[in-house]
Amino acid sequence: MKIGFGYDSHRFQPGRPLILGGVRIEHDRGLAGHSDADALLHAITDAILGGVGAGDLGELFPDSDPRWKDADSATFVAEAMKRAAEKGYAVANCDVTILTEQPKLLPYKPAIRANVAALLGVDAGAVSIKAKTNEGMGFVGRGEGLAVMAVVLLVEA
């Protein structure tokens, strides 16, 4: 078994959609970024890559490469899964924590969980999606952006 940890954060930006876990979230601002800025899928991608020692999101999908402009972050997860499989591993479970003051994510959690499970090729019961506030502290607490942490357990396939 191997464990991988991933983290990502993005600033809020008006005029962009807010996408988390491949799900569009109703909010007055989206996330700034070169791709679709799906911080949740970025954190999962880095967790998978880190778990199998296959680099990180910035190395494989640099924001200096125009191919990744507005890219769907599901592409990044698929590539990470491919690299894990090449090393003989598959995801067994995934635990995600989203840190944001707004928007409230409770209504979206089932859809995010189902989408992440499908991307990882696991049952929805193997995916946990949690949302927490930062109690008004730091950039998250001031509503400037959000952060996501993800852990994956990888097992021999």
Side-chain angles (χ1 to χ4, degrees), residues 54-102:
D56 65 37
L57 189 72
E59 291 174 41
L60 300 178
F61 308 103
D63 60 9
S64 58
D65 188 333
R67 289 182 299 165
W68 309 122
K69 177 72 175 146
D70 297 322
D72 182 339
S73 292
T75 303
F76 306 153
V77 175
E79 180 63 23
M81 293 290 289
K82 176 181 161 216
R83 289 174 183 248
E86 288 170 352
K87 292 180 177 263
Y89 287 89
V91 172
N93 79 305
C94 177
D95 185 18
V96 175
T97 302
I98 307 160
L99 300 168
T100 187
E101 302 297 312
Q102 291 292 329

Side-chain angles (χ1 to χ4, degrees), residues 82-148:
K82 176 181 161 216
R83 289 174 183 248
E86 288 170 352
K87 292 180 177 263
Y89 287 89
V91 172
N93 79 305
C94 177
D95 185 18
V96 175
T97 302
I98 307 160
L99 300 168
T100 187
E101 302 297 312
Q102 291 292 329
K104 297 300 180 195
L105 297 174
L106 183 62
Y108 300 98
K109 286 169 57 176
I112 294 170
R113 183 180 189 197
N115 195 54
V116 168
L119 291 171
L120 300 180
V122 299
D123 184 79
V127 175
S128 174
I129 304 293
K130 302 178 305 294
K132 305 288 183 187
T133 69
N134 225 31
E135 300 292 328
M137 298 179 291
F139 77 92
V140 169
R142 291 188 300 270
E144 297 169 14
L146 61 74
V148 181

